Amino acid sequence: MAHPRKKIEIIVEAPLQKPVLDWLSSQGVKGWSLFPRVIGGGKHGERSGDDITRAFDNVMIVAVATEAVARAVLDNFHTRFADAVAVVYISDVEVSRADRF
Amino acid sequence: MTELLHLAAGNLLSPMILAFVLGAVAAALRSDLEIPEGAAKALAIYLMFAIGFKGGVAMHAASGLALAGAILAALALSLALPLIAFALLRGVWQQNRTNAAAIAAHYGSISIVTFVTAAEFLRSRDIPYEGYLVAMTAVMETPAILIGLLLAGQQKNPGMQARASERGALFREVLVNGSVMLLMGGFAIGWITGDAGLAKIRPFVADLFNGALCIFLLDMGLVAVRQGRAARSFPRALILFGLVMPPIGAACGFLAAAALGLSTGGAMLLAVLAASASYIAVPAAMRLALPSANPSLSVTLALAITFPFNVAIGLPLYLTLAQRLFGN
């Protein structure tokens, strides 16, 4: 049986990895996965994923949560992490084990 | 003057500096040459352990009292350098408070690669230096981060202000960061085991050192030029700060060296430490604690301007000055 949930994806500068994960947990997110050294480009130029300082590296955090939790994350992220180099979005997914998310 | 030119030419034609130039040229030509990140990290670990260990061995015969004095002097420099940099950036370069504080933190900290290159520059000329300079390197790595945050003052936006617990975690992280652990750990192992210890691992920590440094500097050449290119809209006037601040720092280093009664080699190395700017420990810490500062200003200054200046021109300049001031 499939249950509707929201997928939260956050691409954020590497130095903020730990504060963002701690904050997600405090918002009720129960689990996460992370891709280190995510390559990409945009407003802040290109990010190569092998920066010597780590200040210009990105990571991507993926989590699945209930709609209420995901909305709160989406609405509050840029207030909590103002000035952070970050992209946050949520989308619809389905999970088979409702109690895990 | 001829002596300085002779030293400068000898420095520029060393394999280490030519490897740096090779990296810079490759990046300028947009070559796909790259040192894999893991390999660069392994080289850095090796260089830091080896320089720490050799410093510890040199310390074997010295007294603990000299070490204590050196550590106090290192702390004093970490306090003074960011204040000077901050005053200049605010007064002369008209930078806003946050950016000035972030740049000042980079210049109060040190570049280990510059130090290692300078130590090798001395060794190849048979100029000895005090082993505890390595401990000073480790001590000077992180206090400037704290000074930078104090200089930045309260952040306007309460949402982005690092919370107390986060700041606590940041300070713990910078105090036990990998470079500090390696330098101090290698130093302790060298100090404890002395010449007998060195005899056991000499081929690794001494004979291979220059070759490893070549490859690491090649990577630094690549990184420095790519950073210079990536920095969009870098204010040209700031380039001058990256060239003026190192000699000012070196002068502070010489003052501290005179107070400590260092040898010519030791004085030169302390000048190099004070002249160098961090581009490994500080940038990530500043993104965490001072996110409104523009990292491309501070990193471009430290990495693409001050680092090449110090290794190409600074080393012979500081040695010539040290020889004048502290004797041959």
Side-chain angles (χ1 to χ4, degrees), chain B residues 267-320:
Chain B
M268 184 271 192
L269 279 188
L270 191 51
V272 166
L273 281 180
S276 70
S278 166
Y279 44 80
I280 296 183
V282 180
M286 282 296 121
R287 282 310 295 152
L288 193 57
L290 211 52
S292 54
N294 179 354
S296 85
L297 292 184
S298 45
V299 173
T300 305
L301 274 172
L303 193 54
I305 298 166
T306 293
F307 176 77
F309 171 81
N310 275 332
V311 293
I313 298 164
L315 299 188
L317 176 66
Y318 308 144
L319 179 58
T320 306

Side-chain angles (χ1 to χ4, degrees), chain B residues 115-189:
Chain B
F115 176 80
V116 166
T117 311
E120 186 43 44
F121 179 76
L122 289 178
R123 201 204 55 77
S124 67
R125 285 162 184 76
D126 288 323
I127 301 173
Y129 63 89
E130 288 80 357
Y132 51 73
L133 259 300
V134 172
M136 299 180 81
T137 307
V139 170
M140 289 176 74
E141 174 109 356
T142 50
I145 295 172
L146 175 62
I147 308 294
L149 294 188
L150 292 175
L151 288 171
Q154 286 294 94
Q155 296 288 305
K156 282 182 209 127
N157 183 340
M160 73 184 197
Q161 191 177 338
R163 294 170 186 178
S165 62
E166 252 168 48
R167 289 206 169 185
L170 172 69
F171 292 134
R172 194 191 56 76
E173 263 170 46
V174 296
L175 279 177
V176 295
N177 88 10
S179 331
V180 174
M181 293 305 284
L182 267 173
L183 279 171
M184 289 311 268
F187 182 79
I189 294 169

